[in-house]
Every structure is written in structure tokens, then in C-alpha cells.
Amino acid sequence: MDPEGANPLLLQWLKGWWDEARDRNSKGAASYKTAYESIKACPLSFSHPSEAQQLHGFGTKLCSRLTDKLKQHCAENGLPMPDLPHKVRKRSNTDDLSDSVPAKKKRTVKPYVPGLRSGPYAILIALSSLPEASSKGLTKAQTIEIAQPYCDSSFTSPSDPTKFYTAWDSIKTLVSKELVYDFGRPTKKYALTEEGWEVAKRIKRTTVGGTNTRQDKAPSIELPRRTTTRFVDIGEEDSDSEEAHFARATCASRADLHSTHKNARGHSSKLPEDASAYRPLDNPILHLGRETEFLELLSSPASGSTQSSRQWTAPVKEIPSRPIDSIDRRQRLGTNTLPLENNGIQHNDTQFNALCIDPGNFTVELVLDNREVRSKTDRDYIQDQLRTRGVRPIVRPLDLGDAIWVAKCKDPQLLARFGEEGDEIVLDWIVERKRLDDLISSIKDGRFTEQKFRMHKSGIKNVVYIVEEISLSQDTSQKYHEHIMSAIASTQVVNGYFVKRTRKLDDTIHYLARMTTMLKALYESKPIHLIPSTSLSSTTYLPLLASLQTPHYITYHSFASLVSKSDSLNLGDIFVKMLMCTKGITGDKAVEIQKHWTTPSAFAEALSNVDDGDALVREADDARAKRRRELVWKVAGGLVGRRQIGKAYSARVGDIWGEP
């Protein structure tokens, strides 16, 4: 058979679409891969793309796209277009009377059409501002800013005070219909799928054609997007760069929005034709001063006049990060560039401008997990007792820990003006409360080790374990006394966490109240430095924190995304959890195995190929099994301490993963 298959032309087009979808991180890459492999294995040669619909992975839509591609190919090369094959079923004389009954009409699925100036309509237009071949996406804040002029409903506040839904909730509909896909962590970004691009193009054709009767409320379709809240000097950007295109579109969009703005005297404010010179009338933007490294918020210029020299003192300043060298921490780097290295992987240089929030613009608040209750019938006891001690906790479900402290901005929109979500910043303190019975059960089912592993990945430096001593039965106390003492000692010595032992729940409540008072005095008199969410990633977060000179913090939204059990798991983390299901393989041992074999398939392949390269001798099955059982020990057996993997554990892992 021809190595390129019986249909090389169709194979070439499918391969190109597959590569394009894979580069854009599109969900359609799996469909193109299935179709590509299916037609590559087919020995039949097709005269028309519609004949490929009989193969696995081919549908009406894909065959229609191939047909359009074939028409274009024939027109460019002067070739005749093949006729569409027709297969007519011959009717037999023995057809029964049921044939006279009219056939049921096949239900046709109508394409999705969002309502004019609805939430989905505006989101599709906003996301279509990106280049179609781009692999980047827009964050929630960027999407809302671009989409709001195209929507009659608000994306931030409900139209009905009795309801909780906003126009942004329509993103769930677009994701479920596979018109939009999301990616990235902790800052989730959104982009259009191929189906989404088709819907967006239909919307643009319709609105540009003049059917949109409400164009006075929104800028033209081709405007949109802003990358950061920082002002970009468009004249110095490369004309082909996405950042310059983004800034030009944003300024033009804002210019259209404010072109009909009325000033206090009732006169219309005319804006300059050069969008790059525009400053919004109501919303100040960031401007980089010439004599300082701080980015300050400036007041808007008066209508028809030059830039006002009066400055508004902002509670938030954006300052360049000051990392120190990861090898010699005593010497500062002269630039804002931070080389990061994680598990032998060299990352790109990380450079960001930290947001500095001045004292007096935030308060330190205690956030309590709503699952921390005294009993099922008395669920409000803890927060009620805290209120009597002068602490009003924020109660919500927490992804990690039972209590944390946050710096809550007095202005709820303060961080939103810098492209961040929410108004809370997580501080460097977290509490995990354990009663003795809960501690015993968590030790038995492995939750205790897993929680400490996630505590380490959270990046919080001050971890406090509160162990409440409750009365246990004599048998239970004697049976698990050594386990409890060992767990407490391991938490203090190995993990370096602080363990506070209390006699009852009231002592725990008193301790939380004192901690809140202490942290208020510690943080509320100092500025807080915030790492922008756009500069965070799961692979560089911990090295970035360790290499910064001063303490930096992240928003609660970013923290919840980084420590979430479902959102934060990548393939390596899943592999570690799979290894920890083997008895005796702790988190440290599993991590060492994952360092050498990053994925489950790589580990399984290594176990199956233990005798590769030894062509002189082909061992018997028992000899090969022995080599599989010793593979992990040869790699990690020479380590020191808790990371060392002995022969017994290596044999156990080899038997489980090496089974054919």
C-alpha cells in the first residue's frame, strides 16, 4: 500500500487541520486525529469526499468542509470537480403496504444563533477579536470589558436584585455547546472553537450588513481587546505584534464609547482622532511616570484640553518585581528578570509588576470553612462564639485548610481595575483543625499525608495544625497512641509545621480570635505586594515565591485555583496519586518515581522494555520479572531518608505496574 494512503489529498488536508487545531489547543484536534488515522488505514480510493462518510470519524460537517476544499483545489489547478455520487435504492415488487405511508421527516438541528445584544452574542464578538490562528485567549476581565458595549445586560451585577445571574453566566452555555473552550490556571482564559468561529463570522456578516439597528450603543465589530491595565505606547510597538493590535483596538473601542459623552455643561466631548492619545473621561488608566518606577493612576483630562497636571493619589501602585538570585540569595539581581528552574525544566524568564496596596485600604479578615461545625444540629456555634470575641468571620467552603486570613479591600472594585478577580488577597497563614478521632481516620485512609502534600504546594509558609484532644475509648487510645504521636512529630520535624494542642473546641475558638487580632496588627500597618494573576502558573509559582526578596501574595481566586483538587491536577500529579495507592509508597517516594518517569505510560513502557538492548541473552520469564521488580530500586534505592525506595517497595510497584 502507498505509505501516504489511497487518498493522499484528503490525508494532506486533514493533517494540516489537525496540526492547526493542536497548535491552538482546540478540542477539535481529537476529531481530526480520528479522521486522519481512519482514512490513512482505508485501502479504498474515493472520488468524492462525501464517500468518506462511511468511515469512522467522518460526519456530514467534515465531509462538507473537505468538499469545499476540493472545489477550491480544482478551481486553482483547472481540474474538473468530481460529480457527487448518488446511490438509489431499487424498490422490489414485494414491498408491503407500509411503503405507502409517508416517511417521517428527519429532524434537522438548527445552528445556534444567540439573541441580538445578549450575553452569548457579546461574548462571541469579544472572543472573535483575537486572530483566528492565535493560540492565546482572553481572561474573564478582558472578555467582559470588550463584550459589555455589545450587551444590554450587565456582566458584573444582576439585572434583578432578587437573582444572582449576570450576562457572564452565559459562558456556561457557550462552553456546553462547544463554541468556547477554556484553558489555563490559575488565570482561566477563553477562546473560540472552530464552531464558535463560524457562529462569530455569521454574526459579523449580519451586523456589518446593516441589520443591527443598535450600533449606536456599541463600537464596530472589528474593535476590541486589552491585555493589561497598563497604558501602552502604541507608537513604539511593532505593527505586527498582538500587544499593539490589542492596545489599538482597546483605545479605539474606548474612544467610540466616550465619543458622545456629555460633560457637566451639557456639551459633547470630542475626542482626538488619534486613539493612542486618548484618556478615558471616567475611568483613569495606568501611566508610567518618567521620574519614578511606580505606575500611578492619573486623573482624566478636561474635555477639549490638555492633560491635567493634577494627580490622584492611588491606593494601589504597580512596581517592578525585585527577585533575588536562586543560587546566592544574598545578592540581588540588577534587572527584573528571574530565571526559574523546576525539576530540571528551564522556564522562560518571569518578569512582572507587583501591585502594592497601601495601608488603610484593606482589612485583615478571618475566612472559616463552612464545614467546620460543632455538631449537625449546632452549625453556627463557632462563628457565633467568634463574634462574641470581636471577630466576624467570612464563612464559605475552602479548597484547602479550615481557616485562612485574607486582606479584604475596602473598595470592592479596587483589584478589578487592575484586571484581578475578587477583592481578597490570601495572607501567609492557614489553619487545619483536627480532632483526635478525625486525625486517626485521616491517618488510616491517607488523607493526612495528602493534605500535607497540598499544603506544601499552596506556597503558604505559616501552617498551623490544631489538634483537639477529645475523650476516646480506652481500646482506641491504646491502639492508636503511637500513630498519633508519630503523626504529630512528623508534622513538626519533617514538614516544619506548627502544632497547637487544645483541650476543647472553645480553646480552639479562643486561639483563632487571638490569631486574628495578632495578624491585624501585623499586616494592616504595612503595604501588601500582590503578584498579578497573569504572571502565575502551576509550574513556576513555588520557585517564584522562593526567589522573591519581599513577601508577595496572590488573590483568593488564584489561590483557590492553584490548590483545588480538580483544577490543579495535571498528569504528573495524577501519576503521583496513582503511585500512592500502593501500600508503603508515600508522597516523597512517589514524587521521586515521577521525576524519572513523568507519565504513567512512560513508566509502564520502561517496565515492559527492561530487557531491550540485551540481544545476546533473552532471559526467561522469571528473570525478566526480577529485573522489573528491581527497576525502581536501581533508580531511587541510593537516595537518603524518606525518599529512599527499598527492594521490597520496588518489587511491589514492579508487580503492579509491570503486569502484562
Side-chain angles (χ1 to χ4, degrees), residues 13 35 52 73 101 241 254 276 309 333 338 394 509 540 579 607 658:
W13 294 336
H73 174 75
V101 179
S241 67
R254 289 176 172 174
S276 64
S309 60
L333 292 176
L338 173 63
I394 302 172
I509 297 174
T540 62
L579 291 170
L607 289 171

Side-chain angles (χ1 to χ4, degrees), residues 200-395:
K201 290 176 181 177
R202 288 201 302 267
I203 292 176
K204 288 185 177 182
R205 288 195 298 266
T206 304
T207 53
V208 171
T211 58
N212 185 0
T213 59
R214 311 209 34 201
Q215 291 183 2
D216 57 327
K217 286 192 176 183
S220 67
I221 299 292
E222 307 240 345
L223 301 180
R225 76 187 170 105
R226 76 188 271 273
T227 52
T228 63
T229 52
R230 198 184 323 174
F231 179 76
V232 181
D233 188 358
I234 300 175
E236 297 179 0
E237 292 287 345
D238 185 3
S239 59
D240 296 331
S241 67
E242 291 192 5
E243 289 77 5
H245 167 70
F246 205 108
R248 283 194 298 270
T250 304
C251 293
S253 176
R254 289 176 172 174
D256 286 348
L257 283 176
H258 294 276
S259 60
T260 58
H261 178 78
K262 302 291 184 181
N263 57 19
R265 298 182 180 179
H267 300 291
S268 177
S269 300
K270 294 297 183 179
L271 298 173
E273 296 181 359
D274 184 10
S276 64
Y278 173 67
R279 300 291 188 277
L281 297 175
D282 297 322
N283 299 321
I285 62 176
L286 289 174
H287 177 70
L288 181 60
R290 297 179 181 275
E291 299 178 359
T292 175
E293 63 182 1
F294 290 89
L295 290 173
E296 300 182 351
L297 294 173
L298 302 183
S299 59
S300 303
S303 174
S305 63
T306 58
Q307 175 71 26
S308 173
S309 60
R310 180 177 56 87
Q311 295 188 1
W312 171 60
T313 303
V316 180
K317 297 177 181 179
E318 194 169 4
I319 61 175
S321 60
R322 296 182 179 274
I324 57 177
D325 189 74
S326 57
I327 300 176
D328 185 5
R329 299 182 181 274
R330 296 170 299 177
Q331 181 180 359
R332 301 181 185 179
L333 292 176
T335 64
N336 297 332
T337 303
L338 173 63
L340 297 179
E341 187 173 352
N342 185 20
N343 293 335
I345 302 175
Q346 184 69 31
H347 299 280
N348 294 330
D349 293 344
T350 299
Q351 183 177 351
F352 66 91
N353 288 329
L355 302 179
C356 180
I357 305 179
D358 295 329
N361 296 285
F362 61 89
T363 58
V364 175
E365 304 292 341
L366 169 65
V367 181
L368 192 66
D369 190 3
N370 61 358
R371 290 160 291 192
E372 288 301 304
V373 297
R374 184 182 187 183
S375 63
K376 292 183 179 179
T377 58
D378 192 3
R379 306 186 65 88
D380 298 331
Y381 179 80
I382 297 179
Q383 46 262 43
D384 291 343
Q385 291 298 314
L386 285 170
R387 290 190 184 98
T388 60
R389 290 170 169 82
V391 178
R392 300 183 64 86
I394 302 172
V395 181

Side-chain angles (χ1 to χ4, degrees), residues 251-545:
C251 293
S253 176
R254 289 176 172 174
D256 286 348
L257 283 176
H258 294 276
S259 60
T260 58
H261 178 78
K262 302 291 184 181
N263 57 19
R265 298 182 180 179
H267 300 291
S268 177
S269 300
K270 294 297 183 179
L271 298 173
E273 296 181 359
D274 184 10
S276 64
Y278 173 67
R279 300 291 188 277
L281 297 175
D282 297 322
N283 299 321
I285 62 176
L286 289 174
H287 177 70
L288 181 60
R290 297 179 181 275
E291 299 178 359
T292 175
E293 63 182 1
F294 290 89
L295 290 173
E296 300 182 351
L297 294 173
L298 302 183
S299 59
S300 303
S303 174
S305 63
T306 58
Q307 175 71 26
S308 173
S309 60
R310 180 177 56 87
Q311 295 188 1
W312 171 60
T313 303
V316 180
K317 297 177 181 179
E318 194 169 4
I319 61 175
S321 60
R322 296 182 179 274
I324 57 177
D325 189 74
S326 57
I327 300 176
D328 185 5
R329 299 182 181 274
R330 296 170 299 177
Q331 181 180 359
R332 301 181 185 179
L333 292 176
T335 64
N336 297 332
T337 303
L338 173 63
L340 297 179
E341 187 173 352
N342 185 20
N343 293 335
I345 302 175
Q346 184 69 31
H347 299 280
N348 294 330
D349 293 344
T350 299
Q351 183 177 351
F352 66 91
N353 288 329
L355 302 179
C356 180
I357 305 179
D358 295 329
N361 296 285
F362 61 89
T363 58
V364 175
E365 304 292 341
L366 169 65
V367 181
L368 192 66
D369 190 3
N370 61 358
R371 290 160 291 192
E372 288 301 304
V373 297
R374 184 182 187 183
S375 63
K376 292 183 179 179
T377 58
D378 192 3
R379 306 186 65 88
D380 298 331
Y381 179 80
I382 297 179
Q383 46 262 43
D384 291 343
Q385 291 298 314
L386 285 170
R387 290 190 184 98
T388 60
R389 290 170 169 82
V391 178
R392 300 183 64 86
I394 302 172
V395 181
R396 68 163 70 110
L398 295 178
D399 293 280
L400 181 65
D402 297 323
I404 61 174
W405 284 266
V406 299
K408 189 174 182 65
C409 298
K410 295 181 179 180
D411 181 6
Q413 300 300 323
L414 181 62
L415 297 181
R417 291 196 288 267
F418 292 86
E420 302 292 337
E421 294 190 37
D423 59 348
E424 297 173 349
I425 302 171
V426 179
L427 302 178
D428 248 349
W429 293 83
I430 188 170
V431 169
E432 178 71 27
R433 171 179 169 246
K434 292 288 186 185
R435 296 195 317 176
L436 284 182
D437 54 350
D438 182 33
L439 179 61
I440 293 173
S441 62
S442 62
I443 293 174
K444 292 167 64 177
D445 59 18
R447 285 186 296 114
F448 187 66
T449 304
E450 188 263 346
Q451 285 175 347
K452 291 193 295 182
F453 181 71
R454 291 175 60 213
M455 286 284 189
H456 171 70
K457 293 189 65 177
S458 70
I460 294 183
K461 299 177 181 178
N462 304 291
V463 180
V464 179
Y465 269 80
I466 298 179
V467 180
E468 290 182 11
E469 298 178 355
I470 62 172
S471 59
L472 300 174
S473 63
Q474 186 176 1
D475 295 340
T476 304
S477 179
Q478 292 179 354
K479 183 177 181 180
Y480 294 104
H481 177 73
E482 292 185 1
H483 295 78
I484 295 172
M485 294 296 104
S486 176
I488 293 176
S490 173
T491 303
Q492 291 176 308
V493 178
V494 178
N495 302 109
Y497 300 154
F498 178 75
V499 177
K500 171 68 176 178
R501 304 185 68 172
T502 59
R503 294 184 178 274
K504 52 185 178 180
L505 178 59
D506 290 337
D507 294 343
T508 301
I509 297 174
H510 181 63
Y511 180 77
L512 292 176
R514 290 171 54 197
M515 283 285 297
T516 305
T517 304
M518 184 268 293
L519 293 178
K520 280 179 173 289
L522 179 64
Y523 285 101
E524 289 184 352
S525 60
K526 300 178 181 179
I528 289 183
H529 297 85
L530 176 68
I531 302 176
S533 300
T534 53
S535 303
L536 295 174
S537 67
S538 58
T539 56
T540 62
Y541 171 55
L542 291 181
L544 181 61
L545 286 182

